[in-house]
Amino acid sequence: QFEKIAFGLSLPDPVTLGCPPDTRPLYRAWNRNQGGAPNHRYNTDLWSIALSVLRQGWILEGDAKTLVFACVPVE
């Protein structure tokens, strides 16, 4: 069921793996269905995710080399 558009994003460049100008990396962590329900956390700060949910057994979903899930506009 469609809920709403929460934010806009773009994909990293397939050659350089970098984000386009005026955007920054977005990281996504998944709880591996712990507790019986899927859950995701998004953050532009990789260390924030690493210090919180990754220590609880969550995993990052993103590019294998950069860990970037997508690119979001810089505010």
Side-chain angles (χ1 to χ4, degrees):
Q1 176 181 353
F2 177 75
E3 294 178 12
K4 68 178 180 175
I5 296 175
F7 52 83
L9 56 82
S10 61
L11 297 177
D13 182 277
V15 176
T16 67
L17 302 177
C19 287
D22 298 325
T23 66
R24 61 181 165 181
L26 178 69
Y27 304 95
R28 178 167 106 161
W30 171 54
N31 72 343
R32 300 178 323 163
N33 296 338
Q34 295 173 13
N39 203 340
H40 292 89
R41 294 289 185 270
Y42 296 86
N43 202 313
T44 56
D45 181 7
L46 181 58
W47 287 109
S48 292
I49 288 179
L51 294 175
S52 59
V53 296
L54 294 183
R55 293 183 1 183
Q56 299 171 27
W58 294 44
I59 60 171
L60 285 171
E61 297 180 315
D63 180 78
K65 293 180 184 176
T66 65
L67 305 176
V68 174
F69 171 73
C71 302
V72 293
V74 174
E75 297 176 0

